Amino acid sequence: MLNPATEEPLAELEQAGVEETDAAVAAAKAAFPAWRAVAPSDRARLLRRLATLVEERAEELARIESQNVGKPIAGARGEVGMVAEVFHFYAGAVDKHHGETIPVAGGVDITFREPLGVVGLIVPWNFPLNIASWKLGPALACGNTVVLKPAELTPLSALRLAELALEAGIPEGVVNVVVGKGSVVGQRLVEHPDVAKIGFTGSTEVGRSVMQGAAGTIKRVTLELGGKSANVVFADADLERAAAAAPYAVFDNAGQDCCARSRILVERSVYDRFLELLAQATAQVRVGDPADERTEMGPLISAQHRETVSSFLDDSTRVAFRGAAPDSDRGFWFPCTIVEATNDDRVAREEVFGPVAAVIPFADEAEAVSLANDTPFGLSGSIWTRDGARALRVARGVETGVLSVNSNSSVRVATPFGGFKQSGFGRELGMHALEGYSEVKNVFLSTEE
Ligand code: NAD
């Protein structure tokens, strides 16, 4: 593992293979009967204790995340704060996720929310701890035991979290972390007969193979995949506000964000003015040392990823603005880049997963919706307008799972998050996530004599 800002090694870890994965699944299977039997209020207390420990060790966790991913420390602190909030939320959810009684003839019908058993959680490198917590929280609250596979490049925070889970009193075997390759550990979890469900976040390409692999055992899957979200700016919007916010909706986490609003669709009548404001706002983004409190954007995750991001720009690219980045031969730096494009250009079709925004003009509301939807993805998006009715019409028309109006923020602990189309299915966060980690059981009791 390297620090992406300095290219200095952070740690060297043994890579697990199939045998270690099987051992972790066996440990999770053995721990399941006792964990599901823990009284709901006690399970809640354990999750709350974990949340408190995350708060107490927040600075340490934020530093691990900042060094391993190259995230600015201020942002990493915010993310760790969310992790604690997630465990608090699901501690509170344990005894609020209950069944029903259904009126039927001849007796009583009741439903139970049963845990699934052992769940495999596979997460990416861009928000390692956050995304792990979005799965761990509901999985544990429902009474499942877990095997978590962090991304190869960023396993350090997950390993520390597993230690904190033990310290919180969550029994051994309930939370297992296996560090290894996706094609080995991930694949084994997907195919393992004792794993009941896979909660996966990652690329659409790997998501497809997870879904195929899961078919063998009819495993449940939740897929949180890639995105190519639109930030739609109408002429009647508060342009200054929309432009000031837009850079952070693409360049946050150096663009390595599934929700990145990387297609900025702008009504033609204000296109030139908006582009000017956007360039001014982007020039303010502070790129540099992730350990510096004021830094807003760090490096990309790896040299290989920088190659991929660079491949989206060539001689034919119409670059409208290119920001500054540290001029160092160490670190995987890439400047904030704004390009003018059409929706058919590769930069507008594929997920760049780097700090590159494509600005695309549209003529009217109908074209805005049609361009926003002209993509295989459907994760996120924003709508900027002062016309409330239009905001609602467009929000209903855009085929994505999460949207924000006059804001670029649509991920919250209490609200559902997930994709339409090839951005995946199933919902994380909020009470909705509990559906993905439990099974409804229906029991009829005859009252006849
Ligand atoms: P990735 O798909 O390469 O890897 C994700 C995880 O899957 C890693 O842990 C990897 O080791 C594992 N994996 C790889 N091959 C596997 C296989 N054959 N079987 C099982 N597991 C396997 O993704 P990445 O490069 O780590 O992350 C970037 C991608 O994640 C982007 O496409 C991004 O949009 C997406 N993402 C989506 C969300 C969301 O919530 N929708 C959030 C963050 C990231």
Side-chain angles (χ1 to χ4, degrees):
M1 262 118 264
L2 294 180
N3 179 333
T6 60
E7 301 184 39
E8 275 161 19
L10 282 174
E12 212 161 306
L13 299 180
E14 195 97 357
Q15 299 292 302
V18 169
E19 210 174 298
E20 289 85 357
T21 311
D22 287 356
V25 173
K29 188 179 177 185
F32 175 61
W35 178 243
R36 75 172 298 186
V38 170
S41 58
D42 290 336
R43 207 184 302 140
R45 204 167 293 134
L46 290 168
L47 284 175
R48 209 169 281 293
R49 221 181 273 159
L50 176 57
T52 305
L53 278 178
V54 169
E55 282 162 350
E56 286 171 11
R57 309 291 156 78
E59 191 58 24
E60 179 200 348
L61 290 167
R63 293 215 174 265
I64 294 174
E65 206 77 325
S66 172
Q67 287 171 3
N68 202 176
V69 190
K71 282 176 190 295
I73 184 68
R77 284 189 190 118
E79 287 172 30
V80 172
M82 186 191 199
V83 171
E85 216 188 309
V86 166
F87 289 124
H88 278 302
F89 181 90
Y90 288 107
V94 171
D95 53 10
K96 293 166 196 73
H97 182 57
H98 36 62
E100 310 131 291
T101 58
I102 303 171
V104 291
V108 179
D109 197 284
I110 53 181
T111 63
F112 295 91
R113 308 278 183 167
E114 303 286 15
L116 300 166
V118 178
V119 298
L121 309 179
I122 302 176
V123 298
W125 46 259
N126 58 342
F127 296 101
L129 203 55
N130 252 17
I131 291 176
S133 74
W134 298 2
K135 302 179 191 310
L136 278 165
L140 296 176
C142 289
N144 303 283
T145 55
V146 311
V147 179
L148 168 65
K149 195 209 90 61
E152 288 89 323
L153 296 171
T154 58
L156 300 179
S157 54
L159 288 167
R160 187 69 187 107
L161 186 70
E163 290 171 357
L164 295 182
L166 277 182
E167 200 179 322
I170 294 174
E172 209 149 323
V174 173
V175 177
N176 306 273
V177 175
V178 184
V179 174
K181 284 188 165 175
S183 55
V184 180
V185 177
Q187 185 75 22
R188 179 62 184 151
L189 288 175
V190 168
E191 288 168 3
H192 200 299
D194 289 338
V195 174
K197 182 225 166 89
I198 295 288
F200 175 84
T201 298
S203 59
T204 294
E205 187 189 347
V206 175
R208 199 168 281 125
S209 90
V210 166
M211 202 169 164
Q212 275 163 352
T217 47
I218 315 289
K219 232 175 229 79
R220 282 84 185 110
V221 285
T222 299
L223 300 177
E224 300 287 354
L225 310 176
K228 192 74 209 175
S229 299
N231 183 357
V232 185
V233 182
F234 286 97
D236 69 354
D238 180 338
L239 287 190
E240 277 74 16
R241 233 184 105 210
Y248 300 95
V250 198
F251 305 132
D252 195 32
N253 214 38
Q256 303 164 125
D257 183 344
C258 52
C259 286
R261 276 81 163 155
S262 54
R263 290 184 300 146
I264 306 179
L265 310 183
V266 185
E267 193 160 349
R268 203 181 293 280
S269 58
V270 294
Y271 181 87
D272 290 340
R273 173 77 185 128
F274 184 83
L275 196 55
E276 197 182 314
L277 290 169
L278 178 64
Q280 282 167 15
T282 304
Q284 307 296 315
V285 177
R286 283 188 291 261
V287 185
D289 179 7
D292 185 330
E293 305 282 335
R294 292 161 312 162
T295 295
E296 294 175 308
M297 188 176 108
L300 292 170
I301 189 74
S302 66
Q304 194 195 345
H305 189 52
R306 184 168 56 183
E307 287 296 305
T308 310
V309 173
S310 306
S311 77
F312 283 88
L313 306 173
D314 58 27
D315 292 345
S316 67
T317 309
R318 287 181 291 146
V319 175
F321 178 82
R322 184 175 280 133
D327 182 21
S328 162
D329 55 359
R330 290 281 161 155
F332 311 122
W333 303 102
F334 200 94
C336 295
T337 307
I338 300 170
V339 305
E340 294 186 81
T342 74
N343 203 49
D344 297 325
D345 294 340
R346 180 172 167 241
V347 72
R349 307 292 320 160
E350 295 176 24
E351 187 178 43
V352 179
F353 226 54
V356 181
V359 187
I360 302 165
F362 66 83
D364 54 18
E365 186 179 316
E367 194 188 13
V369 173
S370 137
L371 285 174
N373 288 338
D374 182 11
T375 168
F377 299 109
L379 189 55
S380 185
S382 303
I383 300 154
W384 292 80
T385 173
R386 285 193 171 99
D387 178 339
R390 165 183 276 168
L392 265 182
R393 272 197 310 273
V394 176
R396 297 302 302 275
V398 173
E399 296 156 351
T400 74
V402 284
L403 278 162
S404 48
V405 176
N406 296 329
S407 155
N408 296 318
S409 131
S410 48
V411 180
R412 288 180 178 74
V413 173
T415 60
F417 173 73
F420 279 25
K421 303 193 315 194
Q422 292 188 31
S423 289
F425 57 83
R427 290 295 176 267
E428 302 207 292
L429 296 171
M431 295 302 279
H432 290 76
L434 299 163
E435 305 301 323
Y437 289 96
S438 57
E439 198 95 79
V440 174
K441 182 182 284 173
N442 174 36
V443 179
F444 171 72
L445 287 92
S446 168
T447 50
E448 277 165 17
E449 293 195 53

